[in-house]
């Protein structure tokens, strides 16, 4: 009698142990980050707060996928890729040379500088464009005023190129221009402050913002950003370009914008919280800060929302009635990055402005002197921006480049 009773007790103990073990395992799995993310309701409230009770946006973030700003024509009417299409695009893009080398030994070959080795390819994103409004994924039409302004700027740049072999040979860099003697416009100021390369090296402003190590602009859809918060401000460090990082401070203390006559390269940001979302209003841009032709009249409304333990949704509406006929909106999803594996070095590391640019200016003066002494060609006949308007810049199939038609 005692033996069956003991056996029954033993079996019961085993069953109880198994039940407890299963409950512990399920509970442990449910508490894992992956499970929490999967079980979290599809809302814009992650529930993660700072020690003072505000939504916590802190960390290093980046968009891990490649998505064109505007929807390429070949994807018209298509908002999302299927998984199969993304896999096919990834394979095609990995096999595409993004910066094909020009004919070896030519001036364009030497000027190419950054070849395929310097290019990175991220995996294809789900959406066919970052622009979500207008629904066609395109920027709105340009106003007649800005079209006239941009045409005047291009006409000026082509005038400074017209005496070069680039125009004589009808190369892509002279598209829309003509070959002829040096233009008298070579001594003129540009139609407005130049942020692109023009064919002379008289001063730093003749070179592009990239060569001046000043290519960073707001809004920015590239690189990494590190967010740090305090009760009265949000700090964002943008690590973009070739070490052209910059720091942004957003007051969230209810203070007003700067006076309208105070203009800044990255504008004046003022933030406030709307539930789980940091809303940032940005005005007061400098006329020397260019984003797709838009300058001092640019107005941004950003919305930063923590959507999960490792994700942030970023929405920005861009408005400039002097540039576009209506506002437009971009959406990105940022993923949190490892603090250790993605350490950010805050000192700008761009060397072009420290070494390359002075070298260009010194070289320009040497060419002027040699020409004056009859010992060198007219500097107006030399192309100093060779390679800046090359077709190989758009060979990524995702952007609708040449390889996309294959």
């Amino acid at each position: 009698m005692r033996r069956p009773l003991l056996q029954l007790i033993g079996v019961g103990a085993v069953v109880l142990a198994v039940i407890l073990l299963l409950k512990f395992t399920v509970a442990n799995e449910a508490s894992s980050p992956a499970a929490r993310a999967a079980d979290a309701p599809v809302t814009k409230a992650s529930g993660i707060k700072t020690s003072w009770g505000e939504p916590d946006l802190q960390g290093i973030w980046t968009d891990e996928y490649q998505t064109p700003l505007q929807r390429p024509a070949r994807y018209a009417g298509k908002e999302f890729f299927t998984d199969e299409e993304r896999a096919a695009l990834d394979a095609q893009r990995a096999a595409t040379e993004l910066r094909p080398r020009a004919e070896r030994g030519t001036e364009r070959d030497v000027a190419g500088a950054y070849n395929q080795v310097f290019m990175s390819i991220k995996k294809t994103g789900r959406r066919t464009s970052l622009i979500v409004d207008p629904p066609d994924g395109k920027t709105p039409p340009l106003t007649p005023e800005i079209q006239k302004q941009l045409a005047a700027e291009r006409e000026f740049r082509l005038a400074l190129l017209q005496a070069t072999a680039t125009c004589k040979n009808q190369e892509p860099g002279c598209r829309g221009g003509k070959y002829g003697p040096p233009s008298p416009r070579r001594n003129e100021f540009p139609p407005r402050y130049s942020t692109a390369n023009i064919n002379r090296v008289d001063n730093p402003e003749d070179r592009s913002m990239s060569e001046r190590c000043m290519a960073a602009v707001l809004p920015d859809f590239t690189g990494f950003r590190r967010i740090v918060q305090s009760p009265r401000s949000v700090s964002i460090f943008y690590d973009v370009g070739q070490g052209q990082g910059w720091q942004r401070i957003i007051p969230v203390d209810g203070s007003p914008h700067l006076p309208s006559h105070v203009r800044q390269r990255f504008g004046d940001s003022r933030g406030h919280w709307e539930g789980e979302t940091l809303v940032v209003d940005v005005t007061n841009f400098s006329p020397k800060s260019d984003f797709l032709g838009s300058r001092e009249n640019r107005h941004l409304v950003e919305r930063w929302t923590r959507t999960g333990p490792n994700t942030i949704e970023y929405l920005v509406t861009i408005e400039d009635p002097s540039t576009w006929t209506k506002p437009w909106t971009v959406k990105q999803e940022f993923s949190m990055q490892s603090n250790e594996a993605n350490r950010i070095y805050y000192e700008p590391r761009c060397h072009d402005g420290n070494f390359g640019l002075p070298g260009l200016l010194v070289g320009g003066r040497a060419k002027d002197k040699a020409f004056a002494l009859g010992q060198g060609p007219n500097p107006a006949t030399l192309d100093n921006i060779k390679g800046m308007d090359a077709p190989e810049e758009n060979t990524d199939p995702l952007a609708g480049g040449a390889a996309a038609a294959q």
Side-chain angles (χ1 to χ4, degrees):
M1 187 74 180
R2 291 182 60 189
R3 178 169 295 182
L5 179 60
L6 290 174
Q7 290 177 341
L8 184 61
I9 292 174
V11 170
V14 171
V15 171
L16 180 60
V18 170
I19 292 174
L20 291 174
L21 179 61
L22 287 174
K23 290 182 68 176
F24 176 79
T25 302
V26 171
N28 188 54
E29 289 180 350
S31 65
S32 69
R36 287 198 301 269
D39 294 339
V42 183
T43 67
K44 294 184 179 180
S46 70
I48 303 175
K49 304 289 185 180
T50 62
S51 59
W52 56 93
E54 291 176 345
D56 194 338
L57 304 177
Q58 298 178 104
I60 299 176
W61 307 88
T62 192
D63 186 343
E64 296 183 339
Y65 296 96
Q66 187 71 35
T67 306
L69 175 63
Q70 299 193 67
R71 185 171 300 149
R74 69 189 303 237
Y75 304 125
K78 184 182 184 66
E79 185 177 1
F80 297 99
F81 290 117
T82 64
D83 290 342
E84 292 75 17
E85 288 171 329
R86 293 172 69 187
L89 271 169
D90 285 343
Q92 185 182 6
R93 295 172 63 226
T96 300
E97 187 176 1
L98 297 183
R99 296 288 303 266
R101 186 173 181 178
E103 183 181 350
R104 292 176 182 269
T106 63
E107 187 178 357
R108 181 176 293 279
D109 178 32
V110 176
Y114 298 106
N115 59 17
Q116 178 78 6
V117 174
F118 295 89
M119 307 297 289
S120 60
I121 302 176
K122 295 194 292 186
K123 290 188 175 183
T124 305
R126 292 188 312 114
R127 289 188 288 114
T128 57
S129 67
L130 290 178
I131 296 176
V132 294
D133 185 51
D136 66 358
K138 298 280 191 180
T139 56
L142 296 173
T143 64
E145 293 79 9
I146 195 62
Q147 291 184 52
K148 183 177 179 180
Q149 178 68 59
L150 295 175
E153 292 174 13
R154 180 161 183 80
E155 181 183 336
F156 177 76
R157 290 197 298 272
L158 288 171
L160 271 58
L161 270 173
Q162 71 181 32
T164 68
T166 300
C167 288
K168 183 178 181 179
N169 299 332
Q170 298 183 336
E171 296 179 20
C174 191
R175 190 181 296 113
K178 61 181 181 179
Y179 178 65
S183 171
R185 301 194 67 183
R186 187 170 175 82
N187 297 318
E188 293 181 10
F189 286 108
R192 65 173 175 172
Y193 184 83
S194 179
T195 61
N197 273 322
I198 58 179
N199 192 42
R200 67 185 182 198
V201 287
D202 290 351
N203 54 66
E205 287 74 23
D206 290 341
R207 312 311 297 170
S208 70
M209 300 300 276
S210 179
E211 288 188 16
R212 289 183 251 167
C213 292
M214 298 174 64
V217 69
L218 196 66
D220 175 85
F221 306 125
T222 65
F224 294 76
R225 57 268 297 123
R226 182 171 197 163
I227 302 177
V228 177
Q229 294 173 237
S230 75
R232 297 173 60 84
S233 67
V234 175
S235 169
I236 305 178
F237 179 82
Y238 291 80
D239 191 13
V240 297
Q242 300 174 32
Q244 299 183 41
W246 60 282
Q247 190 80 39
R248 178 185 183 195
I249 305 296
I250 305 169
V252 288
D253 56 2
S255 58
H257 276 294
L258 295 172
S260 60
H261 68 274
V262 178
R263 297 284 164 167
Q264 301 186 120
R265 179 181 170 195
F266 300 113
D268 179 51
S269 297
R270 302 288 151 162
H272 67 274
W273 294 98
E274 292 184 3
E276 299 293 319
T277 299
L278 173 66
V279 181
V280 185
D281 190 82
V282 193
T283 61
N284 294 44
F285 283 97
S286 165
K288 297 181 179 181
S289 172
D290 186 278
F291 174 75
L292 302 180
S294 172
R295 298 200 177 182
E296 66 269 26
N297 296 317
R298 186 157 75 253
H299 174 217
L300 310 179
V301 177
E302 301 172 299
R303 304 182 70 86
W304 301 77
T305 308
R306 185 79 172 259
T307 53
N310 300 306
T311 53
I312 279 181
E313 179 185 271
Y314 174 69
L315 280 169
V316 56
T317 298
I318 304 155
E319 180 182 19
D320 182 347
S322 66
T323 302
W324 298 286
T325 55
K326 62 179 180 179
W328 50 286
T329 300
V330 163
K331 178 180 179 180
Q332 282 186 290
E333 292 84 26
F334 295 136
S335 299
M336 180 178 282
Q337 307 298 300
S338 164
N339 284 320
E340 280 300 310
N342 297 279
R343 292 188 297 275
I344 292 178
Y345 299 92
Y346 296 97
E347 181 181 359
R349 304 176 300 285
C350 179
H351 70 275
D352 295 21
N354 296 326
F355 298 99
L357 186 57
L360 282 170
L361 296 174
V362 170
R365 304 296 70 75
K367 291 174 183 177
D368 290 342
K369 183 177 180 179
F371 176 63
L373 296 174
Q375 299 173 356
N378 185 342
T381 66
L382 303 176
D383 184 351
N384 291 299
I385 58 173
K386 181 76 74 170
M388 291 296 108
D389 193 20
E392 64 264 28
E393 294 292 344
N394 192 31
T395 57
D396 188 343
L398 182 59
Q406 297 178 357

